[in-house]
């Protein structure tokens, strides 16, 4: 990605990603302070340039640049629902 994003592009990013969204990094092309591939974190805030400022699970904070860095959104809500249902079932069985 070269240059700055337009205001319309930034608004699209802000509409697509939200504070608290879980992200898994696939690849970050930063030779100085990269975050390891596979690291997960949450979006802490989105700046006016469209960068996703992250709080990574390893304690680091470093922004993802959409269009430069590769990442995916993690949908953990289904996993949490399954775990809660399993716990409730086990309680019902007096385990």
């Amino acid at each position: 990605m070269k240059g700055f994003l337009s205001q319309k592009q930034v608004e699209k990013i802000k509409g697509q990603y939200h504070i608290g969204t879980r992200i898994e990094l696939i690849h970050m092309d930063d030779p100085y302070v990269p975050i390891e591939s596979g690291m997960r974190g949450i979006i802490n805030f989105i700046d006016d340039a469209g960068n996703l400022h992250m709080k990574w699970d390893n304690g680091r904070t470093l922004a993802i640049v959409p269009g430069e860095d590769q990442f995916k959104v993690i949908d953990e809500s289904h996993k949490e629902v399954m775990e809660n249902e399993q716990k409730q079932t086990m309680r019902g069985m007096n385990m």
Side-chain angles (χ1 to χ4, degrees), residues 24-29 34-40 56 70:
E24 181 176 331
L25 185 67
I26 296 170
H27 176 74
M28 180 178 280
D29 192 21
I35 300 290
E36 307 82 36
S37 296
M39 182 59 61
R40 294 179 174 194
W56 296 102
Q70 298 173 357

Side-chain angles (χ1 to χ4, degrees), residues 74-87:
I74 303 167
D75 180 14
E76 293 188 330
S77 59
H78 178 71
K79 178 183 172 187
E80 291 173 10
V81 168
M82 293 292 288
E83 288 175 355
N84 288 338
E85 287 176 356
Q86 184 179 18
K87 288 176 186 176

Side-chain angles (χ1 to χ4, degrees), residues 32-88:
Y32 303 107
V33 288
I35 300 290
E36 307 82 36
S37 296
M39 182 59 61
R40 294 179 174 194
I42 61 165
I43 297 175
N44 203 24
F45 71 95
I46 303 169
D47 66 22
D48 290 334
N51 299 316
L52 310 178
H53 291 263
M54 302 293 298
K55 176 151 178 42
W56 296 102
D57 291 352
N58 66 359
R60 291 188 60 193
T61 57
L62 187 64
I64 289 177
V65 180
E68 292 281 327
D69 301 319
Q70 298 173 357
F71 60 94
K72 65 181 178 181
V73 173
I74 303 167
D75 180 14
E76 293 188 330
S77 59
H78 178 71
K79 178 183 172 187
E80 291 173 10
V81 168
M82 293 292 288
E83 288 175 355
N84 288 338
E85 287 176 356
Q86 184 179 18
K87 288 176 186 176
Q88 288 176 354

